Amino acid sequence: MLEFRYDTQLLIEGENLDEDTVSEYFTNNFKKDCLLAVGDDEMIKIHFHTNEPWKVLEYCASLGEIYDIVIEDMDRQSRGLKG
């Protein structure tokens, strides 16, 4: 069984975004693996492994509009099932 089950990916579009602030928030508030938060002050791409993707969505939605949301169940994928 994987330590972190859900591969969570999304885009955040907003104003005055800061990838360092987002990364720091994730590091301090979520159990995680494989964090990638890259972008600029208008858009940030998130790639993150977690067991609580709904908390990631809630936080990111507080920063701006979120879209292109993909949440894949890596445990199911590792067993050859659709994620």
Side-chain angles (χ1 to χ4, degrees), residues 9-64:
Q9 302 173 46
L10 61 104
L11 294 172
I12 309 167
E13 187 172 41
E15 296 180 11
N16 301 316
L17 297 173
D18 181 63
E19 62 188 44
D20 293 331
T21 301
V22 172
S23 291
E24 185 176 317
Y25 186 89
F26 273 66
T27 299
N28 293 330
N29 293 281
F30 299 128
K31 293 179 182 176
K32 61 160 178 33
D33 188 21
C34 296
L35 172 61
L36 177 65
V38 295
D40 57 27
D41 64 344
E42 294 178 357
M43 184 176 297
I44 295 178
K45 164 79 175 179
I46 300 292
H47 176 229
F48 188 61
H49 296 171
T50 183
N51 290 326
E52 302 171 319
W54 56 90
K55 290 184 178 181
V56 172
L57 296 177
E58 183 176 56
Y59 169 68
C60 292
S62 75
L63 302 175

